[in-house]
Amino acid sequence: MLEELKQRVYEANMLLPRHGLVTFTWGNASEVDRESGLLVIKPSGVEYERLTPEDMVVVDLKGKKVEGKYNPSSDTATHVVLYNRFPEIGGIVHTHSSWATSWAQAGRDIPCYGTTHADYLYGDVPCVRNLTKDEIEEDYEGNTGVLIANEFAVREKDYIATPAVLCKNHGPFTWGKNAMEATHNAVVLEEVAKMAARCEMLNPRNERAPQTLQDKHYYRKHGANATYGQK
Amino acid sequence: MLEELKQRVYEANMLLPRHGLVTFTWGNASEVDRESGLLVIKPSGVEYERLTPEDMVVVDLKGKKVEGKYNPSSDTATHVVLYNRFPEIGGIVHTHSSWATSWAQAGRDIPCYGTTHADYLYGDVPCVRNLTKDEIEEDYEGNTGVLIANEFAVREKDYIATPAVLCKNHGPFTWGKNAMEATHNAVVLEEVAKMAARCEMLNPRNERAPQTLQDKHYYRKHGANATYGQK
Amino acid sequence: MLEELKQRVYEANMLLPRHGLVTFTWGNASEVDRESGLLVIKPSGVEYERLTPEDMVVVDLKGKKVEGKYNPSSDTATHVVLYNRFPEIGGIVHTHSSWATSWAQAGRDIPCYGTTHADYLYGDVPCVRNLTKDEIEEDYEGNTGVLIANEFAVREKDYIATPAVLCKNHGPFTWGKNAMEATHNAVVLEEVAKMAARCEMLNPRNERAPQTLQDKHYYRKHGANATYGQK
Amino acid sequence: MLEELKQRVYEANMLLPRHGLVTFTWGNASEVDRESGLLVIKPSGVEYERLTPEDMVVVDLKGKKVEGKYNPSSDTATHVVLYNRFPEIGGIVHTHSSWATSWAQAGRDIPCYGTTHADYLYGDVPCVRNLTKDEIEEDYEGNTGVLIANEFAVREKDYIATPAVLCKNHGPFTWGKNAMEATHNAVVLEEVAKMAARCEMLNPRNERAPQTLQDKHYYRKHGANATYGQK
């Protein structure tokens, strides 16, 4: 069932430790098949060295396990909510990568200080608030997804243009058109988080990159008038 | 004698440089066999590249060497005291890993700023005071163990829930149900120490993660109601 | 056409990820053949793992593509302007290397704090201002080159003695007598940027290295009286 | 001539890039043969990948080249002075390793904040002042050695107990009983420099480790009553 998708999700997961984004089992990647309404995700707590494509777990968009010998990732409910609320995305990645997590622990949005950021992430990367005690007790993982989607709605941010978020005192989620692009964005986010921290250290009153520069770089890579690469 | 245990302790020790926690010979792992009352520990000052399972040293719970061609680690007395005072633990690791040691040198507890910390270490990681001149002269390594155990008693901290400590101006000790888990916790502690330092840099007035979030993550992984992984 | 040059430019490009200066496709190296008035540059957005010498693109000094199956780097216009304005240089490198980019994002020149800097880069490394909205809209990449060259003219800086610049909120460019030397200078710049940031952290009121020491080191390696190496 | 010594000096030099202490050719190791009064040192500006034991250069204790196809390191005169002024040492290493150099660029001694430092380096690591214009013009490299030796004399520091120094706005020198021990101390110094910087970041009013703790660790590893290792 969904063998090709399992292979792709497996490969995206395996890139996470290779890019230095994941220690032990602290991360997971998933991809959804919009036609069948099923998503494939990493099993919970299984070591990367032991992982095989067959170990991937199939879950439906209500969060019910459909196939797999293992339990799905403990963050599955967050993925499910995001796939439902963000209909244009195809893949999601969660890590505890150290610079992005440091911003999350600091409870701060990552300001757009430069073109590396603007090339991939339109505007600041939002950091959502903590869940309340009631929200945690009711459905911690599901409500994490709800909180993320609501934050984008309230701030009127386009989730396609800004495919990343930080959860306060927790860590980052990124997404994209498939699991591989979500993984790519997780690498970008970590690099951007690192450089933003260091440039604040060098200039504590640092200001964001000018909006015209941000737009120039974002639209050089995205949209109808993109000129970057080999289209 | 205790060949399997020696093999396990050897493997745990060899993971320390592989995880980047140890430079030269600055670290040691041990594991105790509660039935025989014997512990196996790395020899003192032997390079990791030359180490073999047979080089491991057997010591009793009074700190007396029972078998081995080498002297045991210079920190053996600390391990012995901790095994006696913390009857539920099976393995101990000591390193000079750089972020955890930086906190130890700064003389500060590591506050719980996020879920990476809460997943493994309940509440702040304590930093114990310096030993006095008399305590150092009487029995430096043994009194280090006494100080650690007393600190957990005075603060009423559960050593099972918080399997890590910092010794002021020195470095970290971690423990677990065996040497491998203690090694695992040493990696966690280093990662947590790094991210806590960086998030303070990003937000000098940073506050701890809410207690409800800490509890959610800790009990998602530990205790009767744990849901993480493949039980 | 220009096969040897393509090979050299290919090799210089491949060194960028190997030295940790480039994530994904975020960098490019070029070299000019002054006789024919043609330059060879990396194609835009092609992954380093897939790159071959034949993929390199040939462009003339007006920025027109002369040969190659791919589009040239999106930064080609900047390279072209620099080759025209800096007639003594033969190679150019652009990266988003993390420490140099952090200084660029902070909008600051890198002060010369030590001999590592002085050995290669005479005086501070300038950070040029942002382009205006009009300059961006007219010709972003070309005007980036104009701004760099003008800055060296206005500051009366010798571009041979200081083969590096930062573009505000963007990143560094370095150059040299060929692509390999430009790559070498990109590594130097990153190392110098890292140490300058750290020494400000250690001493927030840090002052530049004395001019006599800067001169001693620069002229130990450069010019008629150089004594370093094996001439 | 001195083939075994050349081999040892070659091996010590090759460890410098392997330990991440040296970029390009920015470092050199030497060892002296006290009987013949000759020292062997790395050639100037030769890449580590191309280096062979035969490339090592033989110099006498007046700084005169005795054998070798290459010029000796540009820092040879500093090594020569140190061998003359510090009669008990057998090996010297100079690098631009990044944390130690950051302290040197900040013009600060490295305070002894912990046992990692105290295990190898007794008390603070001194940072010597800049040379004056006259001292630079007269004999830059030789006077660097004179300044180091004088600093130890003025501060009444034992160069055997503290085998490391920082030169302001330049970088570190370390030494030991042979080239390998000097290399070992260069690794220690870099690690100690890193952790000292980070612990000041965590606690800007940090104080030195208590003298009794420093003494305990130093004398656990050194002198007649040492207990560390396998003597």
Side-chain angles (χ1 to χ4, degrees), chain C residues 23-56:
Chain C
T23 303
F24 297 128
T25 60
W26 309 346
N28 44 72
S30 73
E31 186 170 319
V32 71
D33 177 55
R34 290 286 178 187
E35 233 167 281
S36 62
L38 297 173
L39 68 97
V40 168
I41 193 164
K42 183 176 163 291
S44 179
V46 176
E47 289 170 36
Y48 281 89
E49 302 90 84
R50 299 200 293 117
L51 220 55
T52 67
E54 298 75 48
D55 295 341
M56 300 299 115

mmCIF file of all heavy atoms in Angstrom, chain C residues 23-56:
data_model
loop_
_atom_site.group_PDB
_atom_site.id
_atom_site.type_symbol
_atom_site.label_atom_id
_atom_site.label_comp_id
_atom_site.label_asym_id
_atom_site.label_seq_id
_atom_site.Cartn_x
_atom_site.Cartn_y
_atom_site.Cartn_z
ATOM 1 N N THR C 23 25.357 25.860 1.605
ATOM 2 C CA THR C 23 24.251 24.936 1.830
ATOM 3 C C THR C 23 23.443 24.889 0.529
ATOM 4 O O THR C 23 23.245 25.926 -0.095
ATOM 5 C CB THR C 23 23.362 25.464 2.978
ATOM 6 O OG1 THR C 23 24.175 25.642 4.136
ATOM 7 C CG2 THR C 23 22.230 24.504 3.287
ATOM 8 N N PHE C 24 23.020 23.689 0.152
ATOM 9 C CA PHE C 24 22.279 23.550 -1.108
ATOM 10 C C PHE C 24 23.017 24.250 -2.274
ATOM 11 O O PHE C 24 24.165 23.940 -2.513
ATOM 12 C CB PHE C 24 20.846 24.079 -0.960
ATOM 13 C CG PHE C 24 20.052 23.303 0.039
ATOM 14 C CD1 PHE C 24 19.366 23.937 1.068
ATOM 15 C CD2 PHE C 24 19.998 21.918 -0.005
ATOM 16 C CE1 PHE C 24 18.641 23.214 2.003
ATOM 17 C CE2 PHE C 24 19.269 21.185 0.933
ATOM 18 C CZ PHE C 24 18.606 21.839 1.915
ATOM 19 N N THR C 25 22.357 25.195 -2.950
ATOM 20 C CA THR C 25 22.977 25.831 -4.129
ATOM 21 C C THR C 25 23.359 27.285 -3.859
ATOM 22 O O THR C 25 23.506 28.071 -4.788
ATOM 23 C CB THR C 25 21.981 25.796 -5.314
ATOM 24 O OG1 THR C 25 20.803 26.517 -4.912
ATOM 25 C CG2 THR C 25 21.599 24.384 -5.673
ATOM 26 N N TRP C 26 23.541 27.628 -2.577
ATOM 27 C CA TRP C 26 23.718 29.029 -2.214
ATOM 28 C C TRP C 26 25.147 29.525 -2.383
ATOM 29 O O TRP C 26 25.757 29.998 -1.418
ATOM 30 C CB TRP C 26 23.303 29.267 -0.775
ATOM 31 C CG TRP C 26 21.947 28.748 -0.423
ATOM 32 C CD1 TRP C 26 20.960 28.342 -1.274
ATOM 33 C CD2 TRP C 26 21.438 28.554 0.900
ATOM 34 N NE1 TRP C 26 19.866 27.922 -0.553
ATOM 35 C CE2 TRP C 26 20.132 28.044 0.773
ATOM 36 C CE3 TRP C 26 21.940 28.774 2.182
ATOM 37 C CZ2 TRP C 26 19.342 27.745 1.888
ATOM 38 C CZ3 TRP C 26 21.162 28.480 3.275
ATOM 39 C CH2 TRP C 26 19.872 27.982 3.122
ATOM 40 N N GLY C 27 25.658 29.483 -3.581
ATOM 41 C CA GLY C 27 26.997 30.002 -3.804
ATOM 42 C C GLY C 27 27.370 29.822 -5.255
ATOM 43 O O GLY C 27 26.749 29.045 -5.988
ATOM 44 N N ASN C 28 28.381 30.573 -5.688
ATOM 45 C CA ASN C 28 28.848 30.426 -7.060
ATOM 46 C C ASN C 28 30.245 31.009 -7.190
ATOM 47 O O ASN C 28 30.603 31.961 -6.511
ATOM 48 C CB ASN C 28 27.891 31.093 -8.056
ATOM 49 C CG ASN C 28 27.432 32.462 -7.580
ATOM 50 O OD1 ASN C 28 28.203 33.402 -7.577
ATOM 51 N ND2 ASN C 28 26.179 32.568 -7.155
ATOM 52 N N ALA C 29 31.023 30.374 -8.057
ATOM 53 C CA ALA C 29 32.380 30.833 -8.355
ATOM 54 C C ALA C 29 32.481 31.032 -9.858
ATOM 55 O O ALA C 29 31.843 30.303 -10.634
ATOM 56 C CB ALA C 29 33.408 29.809 -7.901
ATOM 57 N N SER C 30 33.282 32.026 -10.246
ATOM 58 C CA SER C 30 33.527 32.260 -11.674
ATOM 59 C C SER C 30 34.996 32.625 -11.878
ATOM 60 O O SER C 30 35.702 32.971 -10.934
ATOM 61 C CB SER C 30 32.655 33.403 -12.200
ATOM 62 O OG SER C 30 33.137 34.646 -11.717
ATOM 63 N N GLU C 31 35.430 32.514 -13.143
ATOM 64 C CA GLU C 31 36.775 32.988 -13.497
ATOM 65 C C GLU C 31 36.697 33.584 -14.905
ATOM 66 O O GLU C 31 35.922 33.110 -15.751
ATOM 67 C CB GLU C 31 37.785 31.843 -13.446
ATOM 68 C CG GLU C 31 39.227 32.294 -13.655
ATOM 69 C CD GLU C 31 40.256 31.194 -13.369
ATOM 70 O OE1 GLU C 31 40.086 30.444 -12.372
ATOM 71 O OE2 GLU C 31 41.220 31.086 -14.149
ATOM 72 N N VAL C 32 37.472 34.624 -15.128
ATOM 73 C CA VAL C 32 37.432 35.305 -16.416
ATOM 74 C C VAL C 32 38.685 34.975 -17.228
ATOM 75 O O VAL C 32 39.761 34.777 -16.668
ATOM 76 C CB VAL C 32 37.283 36.832 -16.221
ATOM 77 C CG1 VAL C 32 38.561 37.449 -15.667
ATOM 78 C CG2 VAL C 32 36.857 37.510 -17.522
ATOM 79 N N ASP C 33 38.515 34.874 -18.529
ATOM 80 C CA ASP C 33 39.653 34.795 -19.455
ATOM 81 C C ASP C 33 39.793 36.180 -20.085
ATOM 82 O O ASP C 33 38.997 36.555 -20.962
ATOM 83 C CB ASP C 33 39.376 33.723 -20.516
ATOM 84 C CG ASP C 33 40.494 33.648 -21.549
ATOM 85 O OD1 ASP C 33 41.656 33.470 -21.139
ATOM 86 O OD2 ASP C 33 40.191 33.793 -22.752
ATOM 87 N N ARG C 34 40.772 36.932 -19.610
ATOM 88 C CA ARG C 34 40.868 38.347 -20.018
ATOM 89 C C ARG C 34 41.148 38.485 -21.513
ATOM 90 O O ARG C 34 40.729 39.469 -22.132
ATOM 91 C CB ARG C 34 41.956 39.061 -19.202
ATOM 92 C CG ARG C 34 41.605 39.265 -17.734
ATOM 93 C CD ARG C 34 40.563 40.379 -17.553
ATOM 94 N NE ARG C 34 40.189 40.558 -16.143
ATOM 95 C CZ ARG C 34 39.218 41.368 -15.750
ATOM 96 N NH1 ARG C 34 38.504 42.056 -16.627
ATOM 97 N NH2 ARG C 34 38.918 41.484 -14.479
ATOM 98 N N GLU C 35 41.843 37.515 -22.066
ATOM 99 C CA GLU C 35 42.182 37.610 -23.483
ATOM 100 C C GLU C 35 40.932 37.585 -24.371
ATOM 101 O O GLU C 35 40.738 38.443 -25.232
ATOM 102 C CB GLU C 35 43.102 36.463 -23.859
ATOM 103 C CG GLU C 35 44.374 36.922 -24.537
ATOM 104 C CD GLU C 35 45.362 35.792 -24.603
ATOM 105 O OE1 GLU C 35 46.021 35.516 -23.563
ATOM 106 O OE2 GLU C 35 45.439 35.165 -25.674
ATOM 107 N N SER C 36 40.094 36.572 -24.135
ATOM 108 C CA SER C 36 38.897 36.448 -24.970
ATOM 109 C C SER C 36 37.753 37.322 -24.458
ATOM 110 O O SER C 36 36.734 37.464 -25.129
ATOM 111 C CB SER C 36 38.439 34.987 -24.996
ATOM 112 O OG SER C 36 38.087 34.573 -23.687
ATOM 113 N N GLY C 37 37.909 37.849 -23.228
ATOM 114 C CA GLY C 37 36.823 38.649 -22.668
ATOM 115 C C GLY C 37 35.604 37.808 -22.298
ATOM 116 O O GLY C 37 34.479 38.285 -22.300
ATOM 117 N N LEU C 38 35.839 36.553 -21.955
ATOM 118 C CA LEU C 38 34.737 35.653 -21.570
ATOM 119 C C LEU C 38 34.942 35.157 -20.141
ATOM 120 O O LEU C 38 36.080 34.944 -19.718
ATOM 121 C CB LEU C 38 34.691 34.450 -22.529
ATOM 122 C CG LEU C 38 34.408 34.785 -23.993
ATOM 123 C CD1 LEU C 38 34.561 33.527 -24.856
ATOM 124 C CD2 LEU C 38 33.015 35.400 -24.161
ATOM 125 N N LEU C 39 33.839 34.950 -19.464
ATOM 126 C CA LEU C 39 33.946 34.374 -18.125
ATOM 127 C C LEU C 39 33.128 33.094 -18.061
ATOM 128 O O LEU C 39 32.157 32.916 -18.806
ATOM 129 C CB LEU C 39 33.505 35.375 -17.055
ATOM 130 C CG LEU C 39 32.035 35.776 -16.979
ATOM 131 C CD1 LEU C 39 31.302 34.950 -15.919
ATOM 132 C CD2 LEU C 39 31.928 37.261 -16.672
ATOM 133 N N VAL C 40 33.558 32.224 -17.159
ATOM 134 C CA VAL C 40 32.879 30.943 -16.936
ATOM 135 C C VAL C 40 32.323 30.951 -15.526
ATOM 136 O O VAL C 40 33.026 31.332 -14.586
ATOM 137 C CB VAL C 40 33.863 29.766 -17.140
ATOM 138 C CG1 VAL C 40 33.264 28.465 -16.633
ATOM 139 C CG2 VAL C 40 34.237 29.654 -18.617
ATOM 140 N N ILE C 41 31.056 30.539 -15.402
ATOM 141 C CA ILE C 41 30.376 30.622 -14.103
ATOM 142 C C ILE C 41 29.471 29.411 -13.915
ATOM 143 O O ILE C 41 29.066 28.759 -14.883
ATOM 144 C CB ILE C 41 29.580 31.953 -13.993
ATOM 145 C CG1 ILE C 41 29.122 32.215 -12.544
ATOM 146 C CG2 ILE C 41 28.397 31.976 -14.966
ATOM 147 C CD1 ILE C 41 28.675 33.658 -12.299
ATOM 148 N N LYS C 42 29.160 29.126 -12.660
ATOM 149 C CA LYS C 42 28.266 28.031 -12.290
ATOM 150 C C LYS C 42 26.857 28.298 -12.833
ATOM 151 O O LYS C 42 26.402 29.440 -12.839
ATOM 152 C CB LYS C 42 28.229 27.942 -10.762
ATOM 153 C CG LYS C 42 27.403 26.796 -10.192
ATOM 154 C CD LYS C 42 27.527 26.776 -8.661
ATOM 155 C CE LYS C 42 26.419 25.951 -8.041
ATOM 156 N NZ LYS C 42 25.091 26.575 -8.162
ATOM 157 N N PRO C 43 26.147 27.250 -13.256
ATOM 158 C CA PRO C 43 24.748 27.438 -13.648
ATOM 159 C C PRO C 43 23.874 27.740 -12.424
ATOM 160 O O PRO C 43 24.249 27.424 -11.301
ATOM 161 C CB PRO C 43 24.369 26.095 -14.279
ATOM 162 C CG PRO C 43 25.319 25.104 -13.707
ATOM 163 C CD PRO C 43 26.595 25.849 -13.433
ATOM 164 N N SER C 44 22.728 28.315 -12.649
ATOM 165 C CA SER C 44 21.826 28.719 -11.570
ATOM 166 C C SER C 44 21.075 27.527 -10.984
ATOM 167 O O SER C 44 20.469 26.744 -11.716
ATOM 168 C CB SER C 44 20.812 29.729 -12.116
ATOM 169 O OG SER C 44 19.912 30.130 -11.109
ATOM 170 N N GLY C 45 21.118 27.394 -9.662
ATOM 171 C CA GLY C 45 20.239 26.456 -8.968
ATOM 172 C C GLY C 45 20.481 24.983 -9.233
ATOM 173 O O GLY C 45 19.630 24.155 -8.918
ATOM 174 N N VAL C 46 21.624 24.627 -9.821
ATOM 175 C CA VAL C 46 21.930 23.213 -10.042
ATOM 176 C C VAL C 46 22.658 22.670 -8.815
ATOM 177 O O VAL C 46 23.605 23.287 -8.330
ATOM 178 C CB VAL C 46 22.799 23.024 -11.306
ATOM 179 C CG1 VAL C 46 23.189 21.559 -11.476
ATOM 180 C CG2 VAL C 46 22.067 23.541 -12.528
ATOM 181 N N GLU C 47 22.233 21.514 -8.315
ATOM 182 C CA GLU C 47 22.833 20.950 -7.111
ATOM 183 C C GLU C 47 24.300 20.578 -7.320
ATOM 184 O O GLU C 47 24.670 20.061 -8.370
ATOM 185 C CB GLU C 47 22.060 19.698 -6.679
ATOM 186 C CG GLU C 47 20.692 20.028 -6.125
ATOM 187 C CD GLU C 47 19.852 18.774 -5.943
ATOM 188 O OE1 GLU C 47 20.438 17.730 -5.582
ATOM 189 O OE2 GLU C 47 18.631 18.844 -6.172
ATOM 190 N N TYR C 48 25.108 20.806 -6.285
ATOM 191 C CA TYR C 48 26.543 20.524 -6.373
ATOM 192 C C TYR C 48 26.832 19.057 -6.676
ATOM 193 O O TYR C 48 27.773 18.738 -7.395
ATOM 194 C CB TYR C 48 27.258 20.967 -5.101
ATOM 195 C CG TYR C 48 27.511 22.448 -5.080
ATOM 196 C CD1 TYR C 48 26.574 23.328 -4.551
ATOM 197 C CD2 TYR C 48 28.668 22.973 -5.622
ATOM 198 C CE1 TYR C 48 26.788 24.693 -4.557
ATOM 199 C CE2 TYR C 48 28.905 24.347 -5.633
ATOM 200 C CZ TYR C 48 27.957 25.197 -5.092
ATOM 201 O OH TYR C 48 28.183 26.548 -5.109
ATOM 202 N N GLU C 49 26.016 18.162 -6.132
ATOM 203 C CA GLU C 49 26.274 16.727 -6.347
ATOM 204 C C GLU C 49 26.117 16.345 -7.824
ATOM 205 O O GLU C 49 26.689 15.369 -8.287
ATOM 206 C CB GLU C 49 25.311 15.857 -5.526
ATOM 207 C CG GLU C 49 25.345 16.102 -4.037
ATOM 208 C CD GLU C 49 24.350 17.171 -3.638
ATOM 209 O OE1 GLU C 49 23.177 16.848 -3.451
ATOM 210 O OE2 GLU C 49 24.762 18.358 -3.520
ATOM 211 N N ARG C 50 25.294 17.105 -8.561
ATOM 212 C CA ARG C 50 25.022 16.763 -9.954
ATOM 213 C C ARG C 50 25.919 17.527 -10.924
ATOM 214 O O ARG C 50 25.920 17.251 -12.120
ATOM 215 C CB ARG C 50 23.551 17.074 -10.292
ATOM 216 C CG ARG C 50 22.540 16.309 -9.461
ATOM 217 C CD ARG C 50 21.175 16.291 -10.173
ATOM 218 N NE ARG C 50 20.567 17.600 -10.256
ATOM 219 C CZ ARG C 50 20.298 18.257 -11.391
ATOM 220 N NH1 ARG C 50 20.630 17.735 -12.575
ATOM 221 N NH2 ARG C 50 19.715 19.431 -11.360
ATOM 222 N N LEU C 51 26.655 18.480 -10.414
ATOM 223 C CA LEU C 51 27.431 19.384 -11.269
ATOM 224 C C LEU C 51 28.580 18.664 -11.980
ATOM 225 O O LEU C 51 29.236 17.804 -11.404
ATOM 226 C CB LEU C 51 28.027 20.469 -10.371
ATOM 227 C CG LEU C 51 28.074 21.911 -10.861
ATOM 228 C CD1 LEU C 51 26.708 22.406 -11.282
ATOM 229 C CD2 LEU C 51 28.619 22.803 -9.738
ATOM 230 N N THR C 52 28.810 19.017 -13.249
ATOM 231 C CA THR C 52 29.991 18.537 -13.979
ATOM 232 C C THR C 52 30.679 19.746 -14.621
ATOM 233 O O THR C 52 30.065 20.810 -14.750
ATOM 234 C CB THR C 52 29.589 17.556 -15.111
ATOM 235 O OG1 THR C 52 28.851 18.305 -16.102
ATOM 236 C CG2 THR C 52 28.738 16.406 -14.604
ATOM 237 N N PRO C 53 31.949 19.587 -15.016
ATOM 238 C CA PRO C 53 32.650 20.713 -15.662
ATOM 239 C C PRO C 53 31.900 21.224 -16.895
ATOM 240 O O PRO C 53 31.873 22.431 -17.157
ATOM 241 C CB PRO C 53 33.998 20.096 -16.039
ATOM 242 C CG PRO C 53 34.207 19.011 -15.040
ATOM 243 C CD PRO C 53 32.839 18.449 -14.758
ATOM 244 N N GLU C 54 31.251 20.323 -17.635
ATOM 245 C CA GLU C 54 30.551 20.731 -18.862
ATOM 246 C C GLU C 54 29.318 21.590 -18.570
ATOM 247 O O GLU C 54 28.796 22.264 -19.478
ATOM 248 C CB GLU C 54 30.103 19.502 -19.658
ATOM 249 C CG GLU C 54 31.233 18.630 -20.138
ATOM 250 C CD GLU C 54 31.831 17.814 -19.003
ATOM 251 O OE1 GLU C 54 31.046 17.190 -18.251
ATOM 252 O OE2 GLU C 54 33.062 17.840 -18.840
ATOM 253 N N ASP C 55 28.824 21.535 -17.319
ATOM 254 C CA ASP C 55 27.641 22.325 -16.973
ATOM 255 C C ASP C 55 27.947 23.808 -16.824
ATOM 256 O O ASP C 55 27.024 24.632 -16.781
ATOM 257 C CB ASP C 55 27.030 21.825 -15.655
ATOM 258 C CG ASP C 55 26.497 20.414 -15.758
ATOM 259 O OD1 ASP C 55 26.261 19.948 -16.885
ATOM 260 O OD2 ASP C 55 26.312 19.774 -14.707
ATOM 261 N N MET C 56 29.227 24.144 -16.730
ATOM 262 C CA MET C 56 29.597 25.545 -16.525
ATOM 263 C C MET C 56 29.126 26.375 -17.728
ATOM 264 O O MET C 56 29.109 25.889 -18.860
ATOM 265 C CB MET C 56 31.118 25.687 -16.364
ATOM 266 C CG MET C 56 31.712 24.909 -15.185
ATOM 267 S SD MET C 56 31.058 25.433 -13.568
ATOM 268 C CE MET C 56 30.190 23.941 -13.073
#
